[in-house]
Amino acid sequence: MRTIVIGGGIAGPAIALALRQIGHDVTVYEAYDVPVEDVGAHFSLAVNGLRALEKLGCLRDVQEVGFPIDRMRFYTGGGHLLGDVPRLRRDADPMRSISLQRGRLVAVLRRAALDAGAQIVTGERMVGATESADSVVAEFASGRREAAELLVGADGIWSTVRGLIDSSAPRAEYAGLYGVAGISAMTGVEPGVWSLTYTRNGAFVYTSIDEQTQWWTAQIGDPVKPDLRGLDDAQWLRRVTELFPEATPRALLAATTSVAASGCLNVCDPVQKWHSGRMVLVGDAAHPVGVGHGASMCIEDALELAVALSGAPTVPAALKAYDEVRRPRIDRLLKHGHNARESKRPGAVKRQVNAAKMRVLLPFFERAQGYLYDYEPPSLSAVGGAQTTTR
């Protein structure tokens, strides 16, 4: 089957890799030419995402470019510990979540997709598509037109494909938070720990990846979407230092060696229609969940879509089956994402409420979120062989 994938970030190459395993002829189209290693800040992969990568055959390569993180801890602005729980896993799970630079994961997935026989074309922005009973034709800004039997929208929260499937679909909006990420060099911090401090102006998150390196993100509450253009590293550092005077953020900011990225956090109302007859959404195009789980959900989507396509008699039937399998899990996670974003908005009263909630809820963390990490990804057999799935 000929398949076009729109978007070359995390979801696109993962989809291409999974579909190559079931014999599809896949081409990924990405609008930007910039080297992927230079794009984006750091983020986390939960153990469910890592197990999905294992099914795709590239777990070891991803682990080699990331850093294992054992624990996550929550603090008040005054430095009081609210709770200490396993990071994106169950306590008894021997696997550890990892933190890594976004571009490193994209590079690994693209390389794996290319090695599997997929094609990746950069510098082509899709602007339209036309469906018929047995095909879909993608149209690009360059004038290029490509036909396939399936088109996968892996084009992120600002998805063009989402609007083509449903012209009334929700659009992304500013979430009232923006983020600045950087790297610090400070000794005396326990490695392998992700920490979050609730502050007067939002939340300050840092991950100690080794004995002397910390990756941090300042998540800043602002009801008015700021203009983030034109600020150099020194200007960003001054701004963040003024907004985060609390002791721990101040110490890490003073030890900053570089500012890695900045950007606004965006949200999207639940997308009711994930597919048409021959187009389907995956990843943030369908469900921008955030809260440390977006990449893992993209990779899960890749496997589940491939399973549906290899097991259904027609493309429309496969897309319907994919939707039915994925939506209950995603809907549950979307509620968690909304609550997590709300907890990071500034305000003295909100900080006190957050602290009280965390003290009560963190002892039950595994019970509340264990379902995420219990996911058993399906196995894709080689072309021509029997397929097995376990959930």
Side-chain angles (χ1 to χ4, degrees):
M1 181 185 296
R2 169 81 175 132
T3 298
I4 291 170
V5 178
I6 304 300
I10 295 171
I15 288 288
L17 183 55
L19 294 185
R20 283 298 300 149
Q21 290 189 18
I22 62 170
H24 284 218
D25 175 9
V26 185
T27 302
V28 178
Y29 291 93
E30 166 57 45
Y32 297 99
D33 287 317
V34 63
V36 295
E37 290 86 349
D38 299 334
V39 177
H42 59 273
F43 70 104
S44 299
L45 275 172
V47 293
N48 48 294
L50 295 176
R51 290 195 173 93
L53 284 169
E54 187 172 26
K55 296 295 186 180
L56 290 176
C58 52
L59 172 61
R60 186 183 299 274
D61 290 339
V62 172
Q63 288 176 321
E64 286 178 353
V65 298
F67 299 86
I69 306 300
D70 186 54
R71 311 294 299 177
M72 62 180 176
R73 296 171 185 160
F74 299 84
Y75 296 88
T76 67
H80 299 293
L81 180 66
L82 294 169
D84 179 343
V85 295
R87 176 63 174 160
L88 302 179
R89 64 179 175 88
R90 284 191 180 272
D91 196 28
D93 196 327
M95 183 176 280
R96 296 296 183 264
S97 70
I98 64 170
S99 287
L100 71 166
Q101 300 290 339
R102 179 182 183 275
R104 298 296 181 184
L105 175 60
V106 175
V108 169
L109 289 171
R110 285 193 183 182
R111 185 169 60 249
L114 289 169
D115 288 346
Q119 296 183 342
I120 298 177
V121 179
T122 61
E124 289 283 1
R125 182 182 299 276
M126 195 191 80
V127 295
T130 305
E131 286 185 272
S132 65
D134 57 4
S135 69
V136 56
V137 178
E139 303 165 7
F140 297 87
S142 65
R144 183 174 189 157
R145 292 168 59 88
E146 295 289 344
E149 294 163 88
L150 173 66
L151 186 147
V152 181
D155 49 344
I157 194 169
W158 301 103
S159 174
T160 296
V161 180
R162 185 196 303 137
L164 295 173
I165 290 174
D166 179 6
S167 60
S168 65
R171 297 183 179 183
E173 297 179 347
Y174 173 56
L177 292 164
Y178 67 98
V180 182
I183 300 172
S184 294
M186 188 169 73
T187 59
V189 180
E190 182 182 353
V193 178
W194 178 99
S195 300
L196 182 150
T197 298
Y198 292 107
T199 69
R200 69 185 64 180
N201 286 308
F204 191 88
V205 179
Y206 69 95
T207 305
S208 301
I209 62 170
D210 59 34
E211 289 79 2
Q212 59 183 9
T213 308
Q214 299 80 37
W215 293 345
W216 57 261
T217 301
Q219 298 181 356
I220 304 160
D222 191 335
V224 179
K225 185 176 182 179
D227 184 353
L228 305 181
R229 297 170 296 179
L231 295 180
D232 61 25
D233 286 7
Q235 290 172 309
W236 270 126
L237 199 54
R238 282 196 298 271
R239 177 187 289 192
V240 176
T241 301
E242 290 172 358
L243 291 170
F244 291 84
E246 293 84 2
T248 298
R250 186 173 66 244
L252 284 160
L253 291 168
T256 295
T257 58
S258 65
V259 175
S262 63
C264 291
L265 278 70
N266 301 289
V267 293
C268 186
D269 287 340
V271 179
Q272 301 301 321
K273 191 172 182 181
W274 287 3
H275 63 91
S276 56
R278 293 195 173 266
M279 295 192 291
V280 64
L281 303 174
V282 297
D284 283 355
H287 47 71
V289 295
V291 294
H293 293 284
S296 294
M297 293 300 113
C298 289
I299 300 162
E300 288 185 15
D301 283 353
L303 289 169
E304 297 290 358
L305 180 59
V307 166
L309 286 163
S310 62
T314 65
V315 169
L319 303 188
K320 183 175 183 293
Y322 160 76
D323 188 316
E324 290 174 348
V325 166
R326 291 300 286 160
R327 197 174 287 271
R329 179 169 171 82
I330 295 299
D331 286 349
R332 188 173 181 183
L333 182 53
L334 285 172
K335 294 177 183 178
H336 168 61
H338 171 77
N339 293 336
R341 280 188 296 271
E342 288 299 308
S343 73
K344 296 171 183 175
R345 296 184 189 277
V349 173
K350 183 172 286 294
R351 290 201 307 275
Q352 294 175 1
V353 171
N354 286 339
K357 283 183 177 179
M358 296 302 281
R359 288 190 180 98
V360 171
L361 296 176
L362 280 174
F364 305 98
F365 173 82
E366 188 166 320
R367 185 184 303 176
Q369 294 198 24
Y371 76 95
L372 280 167
Y373 316 126
D374 293 339
Y375 175 76
E376 289 291 340
S379 298
L380 299 176
S381 65
V383 177
Q387 183 190 295
T388 60
T389 64
T390 25
R391 293 188 177 86

